[in-house]
Amino acid sequence: MVCLGNICRSPLAEGILKNKVAPEKVFVDSAGTGGYHIGLKPDSRSIDVAQKYGIDIKDQRCRKFSIADFEEFDMIYVMDKSNYQNIINLAYTEADKQKVQLLLEVLGEGSKEVPDPYHDKADGFEKVFHMIDEACTSIANDLNTQE
Ligand code: 4NP
């Protein structure tokens, strides 16, 4: 799960998807394309909205996406088109590029983005929680029917 800062959206996506899949079967992680917050906890507003829905993300720590992640992961879900371009620019091979997908595309409604809630003063975190949750339910259903 990838966003820009790895403190707002992708920590939520990591926590939400982890909550829906068996850890011994599916490894879920998150990272940011930017390195501004490396080593820090998620934004308190992400921690709070996750907590509201029974998901604990406070022990996550921000890391920057690495090209080694193309080897490590089967799928790389990005929150917006800017993240998509940043990750595609790091890909060496066509196989790497094929792994990268906009998260909300799993809902089959075209190339919608999870908006960056960082500067949002209203209910942005609540909104992105539900967008991410819906997409993660779809991913988890697909994974859980694969053996
Ligand atoms: P995120 O949100 O990409 O969802 O983690 C952001 C957090 C911080 C910044 C940008 C986006 N920032 O520029 O500090």
Side-chain angles (χ1 to χ4, degrees):
M1 297 297 188
V2 174
C3 63
L4 171 59
N6 191 214
I7 57 165
C8 298
R9 293 165 292 176
S10 59
L12 279 174
E14 176 187 334
I16 291 169
L17 186 58
K18 274 183 173 164
N19 209 44
K20 296 178 192 285
V21 295
E24 66 277 14
K25 285 191 181 162
V26 185
F27 178 63
V28 184
D29 197 10
S30 65
T33 59
Y36 326 108
H37 308 281
I38 292 170
L40 300 184
K41 289 182 186 192
D43 188 285
S44 60
R45 296 164 295 176
S46 284
I47 293 175
D48 290 349
V49 75
Q51 189 62 47
K52 179 177 169 186
Y53 294 101
I55 298 171
D56 183 358
I57 64 167
K58 70 178 182 310
D59 293 332
Q60 290 185 31
R61 293 294 179 271
C62 173
R63 74 176 181 95
K64 190 174 179 188
F65 183 85
S66 150
I67 49 171
D69 291 323
F70 285 114
E71 294 297 316
E72 186 79 11
F73 294 92
D74 298 315
M75 282 302 300
I76 298 166
Y77 292 106
V78 295
M79 301 298 133
D80 64 32
K81 291 173 189 170
S82 167
N83 309 147
Y84 181 86
Q85 203 52 56
N86 287 332
I87 298 297
I88 288 291
N89 288 346
L90 297 174
Y92 282 121
T93 67
E94 199 50 42
D96 289 347
K97 291 181 185 172
Q98 295 294 329
K99 293 182 177 184
V100 190
Q101 188 182 7
L102 278 170
L103 177 66
L104 297 186
E105 258 174 7
V106 304
L107 298 172
E109 296 164 12
S111 53
K112 287 188 187 161
E113 302 180 294
V114 180
D116 184 350
Y118 189 61
H119 296 291
D120 199 294
K121 292 193 174 47
D123 58 351
F125 284 76
E126 179 83 24
K127 280 186 182 150
V128 301
F129 181 94
H130 293 290
M131 295 168 120
I132 293 169
D133 187 56
E134 198 184 350
C136 288
T137 296
S138 171
I139 293 169
N141 286 341
D142 284 349
L143 289 170
N144 291 336
T145 53
Q146 289 170 20
E147 277 311 318

